[in-house]
Amino acid sequence: MSKTDDLAQQRSRAAESREKCADWKALLERIPYAQHLGLQVQCGDAVVLVYLPCNETLIGNFMLPALHGGVVGALIELTARVAAQSKDRDKRCPRIIDSHVNYLRSAKAQSTFASAEIVRQGRRSSLVSVTCWQNDKSKPIASGQVQLLLPTIAAEQEELHDS
Amino acid sequence: MNELSRLQHSHVVTAACQFTEQVPHARALGIQVVSVDRDQVRMRLTPQSWMFAQEDTKEICTSLLYSLADSAGGLAVIAGAMELMPIATLDLRMDYLRPANGDRALLAVATCRHLTDQVAFIDCDIFCEADSELLATAKATFMRNTHGQQFHSNGLKKNSV
């Protein structure tokens, strides 16, 4: 592959990442609870992250101190929701069916990051895997899997009947 | 329960309720302890508009039900174990059966199913308080006696638990 091809590919990847980033931001802004928690979107070169700044109201154990398990759960669920909706061609708003979170390390009272990986995006449902970490990405504090249901659109079904 | 353990339990419960109500995140969400029996805990959450899942609907975000289940589960461990030791959630699995309507209070009922020296197994159901409709179910495991300082309230001496 020539250098120009390489460069072109890099540029298109960067453009794709910028687009995804703007998409995630817009989706997150429409979730009142995500706004209340202060969730923000951060864009890396290749990956889009959700960032949760720490504040006192997120503490679950003030002796350690540590984040509340529910805050980590919310970060995982909301990241999964935005990832699934952004991936959907019609940007349908998904409904969370279930979620399963494993807590791997104590979540300190610090900034927390989450990244999502779509395990499978189907026509009706989506399975998203989310990993959370704090200052060291190689030491995740929690990981979770979220199943989401995408509403079926009547018009889309009609289209299928026609074809 | 004999008289002594009943007394011990009430001490632990009082301290645990105080502790739960002091948790900053539980306070921020307005979570209230409704009742604590030996191994069953009831907690209430009153929805507010910032808890909604979407701008244009009045449905409560599932993550609030998640936080409520985690809080109720944690207190159920302490009530079941009858001791105030630090605990940590190992894992939590939620099934969201129905959407939670934003103008009705949520009621969580958490039960301590089994305790080992190190682990507690918890079930939690979340209902719509007004019509007792089941909205979500949760299963959680907690690690008991996690490292860190033992906490105790002013009215409870360390030796009494």
Side-chain angles (χ1 to χ4, degrees), chain B residues 5 23 33 35 41 47 85 90 114 124 129 142:
Chain B
S5 69
V23 168
V33 181
S35 68
V41 167
M85 293 290 274
L90 268 185
H114 185 64
C124 181
E129 197 183 41
F142 286 82

mmCIF file of all heavy atoms in Angstrom, chain B residues 5 23 33 35 41 47 85 90 114 124 129 142:
data_model
loop_
_atom_site.group_PDB
_atom_site.id
_atom_site.type_symbol
_atom_site.label_atom_id
_atom_site.label_comp_id
_atom_site.label_asym_id
_atom_site.label_seq_id
_atom_site.Cartn_x
_atom_site.Cartn_y
_atom_site.Cartn_z
ATOM 1 N N SER B 5 -30.431 -11.556 70.850
ATOM 2 C CA SER B 5 -30.119 -11.325 69.434
ATOM 3 C C SER B 5 -31.067 -10.287 68.837
ATOM 4 O O SER B 5 -30.698 -9.550 67.935
ATOM 5 C CB SER B 5 -30.144 -12.632 68.644
ATOM 6 O OG SER B 5 -31.444 -13.113 68.541
ATOM 7 N N VAL B 23 -24.900 7.887 53.399
ATOM 8 C CA VAL B 23 -24.182 7.660 52.148
ATOM 9 C C VAL B 23 -24.513 8.798 51.176
ATOM 10 O O VAL B 23 -25.688 9.011 50.858
ATOM 11 C CB VAL B 23 -24.569 6.294 51.538
ATOM 12 C CG1 VAL B 23 -24.077 6.166 50.100
ATOM 13 C CG2 VAL B 23 -24.029 5.165 52.395
ATOM 14 N N VAL B 33 -35.012 4.533 53.856
ATOM 15 C CA VAL B 33 -35.205 3.187 54.381
ATOM 16 C C VAL B 33 -36.633 3.125 54.936
ATOM 17 O O VAL B 33 -37.004 3.928 55.787
ATOM 18 C CB VAL B 33 -34.193 2.868 55.500
ATOM 19 C CG1 VAL B 33 -34.396 1.449 56.027
ATOM 20 C CG2 VAL B 33 -32.764 3.054 54.991
ATOM 21 N N SER B 35 -38.263 -0.082 55.952
ATOM 22 C CA SER B 35 -38.257 -1.024 57.065
ATOM 23 C C SER B 35 -37.086 -1.984 56.930
ATOM 24 O O SER B 35 -36.568 -2.193 55.828
ATOM 25 C CB SER B 35 -39.568 -1.813 57.104
ATOM 26 O OG SER B 35 -39.631 -2.678 55.979
ATOM 27 N N VAL B 41 -35.132 -6.033 53.600
ATOM 28 C CA VAL B 41 -35.023 -4.584 53.683
ATOM 29 C C VAL B 41 -35.958 -3.956 52.660
ATOM 30 O O VAL B 41 -36.070 -4.445 51.544
ATOM 31 C CB VAL B 41 -33.562 -4.175 53.368
ATOM 32 C CG1 VAL B 41 -33.442 -2.697 53.120
ATOM 33 C CG2 VAL B 41 -32.634 -4.605 54.492
ATOM 34 N N PRO B 47 -39.304 9.499 42.421
ATOM 35 C CA PRO B 47 -38.719 9.999 41.168
ATOM 36 C C PRO B 47 -38.728 11.528 41.071
ATOM 37 O O PRO B 47 -39.604 12.188 41.629
ATOM 38 C CB PRO B 47 -39.628 9.400 40.091
ATOM 39 C CG PRO B 47 -40.372 8.305 40.745
ATOM 40 C CD PRO B 47 -40.494 8.675 42.183
ATOM 41 N N MET B 85 -20.057 -4.580 59.177
ATOM 42 C CA MET B 85 -18.725 -4.677 58.601
ATOM 43 C C MET B 85 -18.787 -4.116 57.192
ATOM 44 O O MET B 85 -19.824 -4.162 56.541
ATOM 45 C CB MET B 85 -18.280 -6.138 58.559
ATOM 46 C CG MET B 85 -18.059 -6.756 59.910
ATOM 47 S SD MET B 85 -16.615 -6.079 60.742
ATOM 48 C CE MET B 85 -15.330 -7.115 60.053
ATOM 49 N N LEU B 90 -19.872 -7.544 44.510
ATOM 50 C CA LEU B 90 -19.048 -8.344 43.582
ATOM 51 C C LEU B 90 -19.656 -8.318 42.197
ATOM 52 O O LEU B 90 -18.989 -8.093 41.203
ATOM 53 C CB LEU B 90 -19.005 -9.804 44.049
ATOM 54 C CG LEU B 90 -17.885 -10.243 44.963
ATOM 55 C CD1 LEU B 90 -17.985 -11.738 45.191
ATOM 56 C CD2 LEU B 90 -16.528 -9.893 44.378
ATOM 57 N N HIS B 114 -28.622 -16.096 51.384
ATOM 58 C CA HIS B 114 -27.639 -16.999 51.982
ATOM 59 C C HIS B 114 -26.381 -16.231 52.340
ATOM 60 O O HIS B 114 -25.988 -15.307 51.633
ATOM 61 C CB HIS B 114 -27.312 -18.119 50.982
ATOM 62 C CG HIS B 114 -26.403 -19.159 51.550
ATOM 63 N ND1 HIS B 114 -26.752 -19.963 52.606
ATOM 64 C CD2 HIS B 114 -25.131 -19.515 51.214
ATOM 65 C CE1 HIS B 114 -25.740 -20.773 52.893
ATOM 66 N NE2 HIS B 114 -24.746 -20.517 52.057
ATOM 67 N N CYS B 124 -33.340 -9.007 45.003
ATOM 68 C CA CYS B 124 -34.059 -7.748 45.209
ATOM 69 C C CYS B 124 -35.131 -7.575 44.133
ATOM 70 O O CYS B 124 -34.855 -7.768 42.948
ATOM 71 C CB CYS B 124 -33.083 -6.573 45.185
ATOM 72 S SG CYS B 124 -33.857 -4.978 45.457
ATOM 73 N N GLU B 129 -44.735 1.450 43.857
ATOM 74 C CA GLU B 129 -45.319 1.432 45.198
ATOM 75 C C GLU B 129 -46.848 1.504 45.155
ATOM 76 O O GLU B 129 -47.520 0.844 45.933
ATOM 77 C CB GLU B 129 -44.770 2.598 46.027
ATOM 78 C CG GLU B 129 -45.003 2.415 47.503
ATOM 79 C CD GLU B 129 -44.517 3.618 48.296
ATOM 80 O OE1 GLU B 129 -44.726 4.764 47.858
ATOM 81 O OE2 GLU B 129 -43.926 3.395 49.356
ATOM 82 N N PHE B 142 -22.363 -10.056 47.312
ATOM 83 C CA PHE B 142 -21.517 -9.072 47.996
ATOM 84 C C PHE B 142 -20.389 -9.808 48.702
ATOM 85 O O PHE B 142 -20.574 -10.910 49.215
ATOM 86 C CB PHE B 142 -22.323 -8.319 49.068
ATOM 87 C CG PHE B 142 -23.290 -7.311 48.495
ATOM 88 C CD1 PHE B 142 -24.544 -7.716 48.022
ATOM 89 C CD2 PHE B 142 -22.966 -5.963 48.432
ATOM 90 C CE1 PHE B 142 -25.439 -6.793 47.508
ATOM 91 C CE2 PHE B 142 -23.866 -5.039 47.912
ATOM 92 C CZ PHE B 142 -25.098 -5.443 47.449
#
